[in-house]
Structures are given as structure tokens and as C-alpha cells.
Amino acid sequence: MKKKSSKLAKLERNRFSVFYDDLGVCCNCGSTYEMTKHEIFEGKNRQNSMKYGFVLPLCLRCHRNLQEDTEFNKKWKNKAIDYFEENIGTADDFRKIFRTYRT
């Protein structure tokens, strides 16, 4: 198993959400049990999600149920893009950073 860099470990420790103030309450069901943080953009964009606060608080049960849910993911990716364009930069800036756009 590859060891995490100290930069990645710090990013993970300091995750925040531009959508939710309380990362200890599931944004789907309201549970506070077995919480996890779900990055809206996965894979190579996971670190960008953490950097820009595109993180959702989910309990493990909801995370398992929603992680592969196409509609859930599409909704939150589009919300993140809207947030980026309203508060951070342009659509072109988003494309350059995330190498993706609306689906």
C-alpha cells in the first residue's frame, strides 16, 4: 500500500464543506453515527474537491448507498460547478483545474 504524503494527509485532516457547516451530521438522513466525508469529485479530482470544499458529510450507510448513485453525484457535481462559478472563477477556470464540466 502506498504511503500518503504529508500534504495529502494534511488536506484530509482539514477537509471542509462549502455546503455544510457541520460535518458531523449526515446531509442525507441527519444521522451522527459512523460519519465519513464524501468528496464530490472522485479519482484524480479528489484532492481538488478537498481543496475547494466540495465535500459532503455522510454516514457510512448513506455513503454506501449514494456513492454510486448517478443522479446524486450529478446533482452535487453541478452544485459544485455553480458554486465555483459564482464564488471562485469562471467555467474555463473550472475546466482547467478539474478537467471536466457538466454532465
Side-chain angles (χ1 to χ4, degrees):
M1 181 185 280
K2 189 175 178 183
K3 186 177 177 184
K4 289 182 185 178
S5 69
S6 60
K7 183 179 175 182
L8 177 58
K10 184 178 178 183
L11 250 180
E12 287 180 345
R13 262 192 322 274
N14 296 321
R15 279 181 284 191
F16 67 99
S17 176
V18 296
F19 302 110
Y20 293 95
D21 292 330
D22 189 351
L23 295 180
V25 178
C26 179
C27 67
N28 189 58
C29 72
S31 174
T32 57
Y33 183 68
E34 292 186 324
M35 293 301 297
T36 188
K37 296 171 185 91
H38 172 74
E39 290 80 20
I40 293 173
F41 295 94
E42 68 283 332
K44 63 185 177 201
N45 283 316
R46 183 172 174 263
Q47 289 182 28
N48 286 327
S49 284
M50 289 186 275
K51 179 180 176 181
Y52 289 99
F54 299 148
V55 174
L56 301 174
L58 291 172
C59 67
L60 286 178
R61 187 173 133 221
C62 288
H63 191 256
R64 277 192 298 269
N65 292 336
L66 296 171
Q67 188 166 1
E68 303 298 326
D69 184 314
T70 306
E71 289 304 312
F72 175 84
N73 288 314
K74 182 178 178 178
K75 171 184 140 182
W76 281 104
K77 285 178 181 179
N78 286 328
K79 282 187 177 201
I81 292 168
D82 291 343
Y83 180 91
F84 188 95
E85 291 175 354
E86 291 171 15
N87 299 285
I88 299 169
T90 66
D92 284 340
D93 295 334
F94 184 89
R95 280 187 204 96
K96 287 176 189 170
I97 295 166
F98 286 86
R99 295 183 178 94
T100 188
Y101 202 61
R102 297 186 192 276
T103 54

